[in-house]
Amino acid sequence: MKEPKKYIRTIFLMIVISALVLVAERAEAQRRVQGQRYTIVKSAPKSSLKVSYNNVEYRVHNHVYYKPVKGKHIVVSAPLGIRVKRLPAAASPIVVRNHVYYEYQGSYYLAQDEEYVVVQAPVGALVEHLPEEYEHLEINGEHYYVADGVQYKAVLKGDELWYEVIKVSDKAYS
């Protein structure tokens, strides 16, 4: 009689563990979707903060910006010119023409007066990853990538593939 109890307990534990894994995977998927640019969500996360900038009332959660659009919110890049006290934890430092920039999900930050201001991508910047949403272009056999009006080209840095900012349009980040 002890064997069926062990069997039932083992099955019960497997069900509980499976349920926990499923909940964790769904939470991670939701986090990724909510942070992916151009994703439209019904509402910004409840713990997001209201930030007014250039007559737009954004919601901000973990350095992800949500812009209101027709009763919903769309995930957008950090608006140009906005200032923040702290950088996103995952921001990567990039040195271009003796200036240190910080890149996070396609937004570029520059230190100014004990704060960080969001600026246009500096031409010449090398980044490890392209922003999440980009368009691939092939021109005369060359491959380019465009996101928010910023054009990138794949380059080798040592033996690793990186992306160089080669052009910023006048309509970048609009």
Side-chain angles (χ1 to χ4, degrees):
M1 286 285 171
K2 290 183 180 178
E3 290 301 318
K5 285 184 180 180
K6 280 185 177 179
Y7 180 72
I8 291 172
R9 189 177 335 154
T10 301
I11 290 175
F12 176 75
L13 286 173
M14 289 174 60
I15 291 170
V16 169
I17 290 170
S18 296
L20 290 173
V21 168
L22 181 62
V23 168
E25 286 175 352
R26 283 187 179 169
E28 176 63 16
Q30 180 67 19
R31 183 196 64 75
R32 280 194 313 268
V33 166
Q34 293 225 339
Q36 188 172 353
R37 284 193 299 163
Y38 310 118
T39 299
I40 296 174
V41 294
K42 289 181 185 176
S43 62
K46 290 181 177 151
S47 59
S48 63
L49 302 173
K50 288 182 183 178
V51 175
S52 293
Y53 187 73
N54 283 345
N55 299 319
V56 177
E57 193 165 286
Y58 296 92
R59 300 295 298 212
V60 182
H61 181 71
N62 291 335
H63 296 279
V64 175
Y65 287 76
Y66 298 83
K67 184 178 180 179
V69 177
K70 297 181 181 177
K72 296 182 181 184
H73 285 84
I74 186 168
V75 178
V76 295
S77 297
L80 284 177
I82 199 162
R83 294 177 169 273
V84 297
K85 298 259 184 225
R86 281 181 247 129
L87 289 171
S92 302
I94 299 167
V95 178
V96 179
R97 295 186 198 96
N98 296 323
H99 290 86
V100 178
Y101 296 85
Y102 298 88
E103 187 271 337
Y104 178 70
Q105 293 189 350
S107 294
Y108 294 83
Y109 297 80
L110 187 60
Q112 287 185 357
D113 303 323
E114 298 182 24
E115 292 181 315
Y116 298 91
V117 63
V118 176
V119 297
Q120 285 191 332
V123 172
L126 290 176
V127 296
E128 272 189 277
H129 307 283
L130 291 169
E132 290 174 351
E133 296 291 323
Y134 63 85
E135 179 183 356
H136 173 254
L137 300 174
E138 186 175 343
I139 302 171
N140 297 327
E142 296 285 333
H143 296 271
Y144 301 95
Y145 308 89
V146 178
D148 293 325
V150 178
Q151 189 173 354
Y152 301 85
K153 181 177 181 179
V155 296
L156 284 177
K157 182 178 177 183
D159 60 348
E160 295 180 347
L161 184 63
W162 285 61
Y163 301 92
E164 180 180 3
V165 175
I166 59 170
K167 185 178 180 182
V168 179
S169 79
D170 293 338
K171 296 179 183 178
Y173 307 99
S174 58

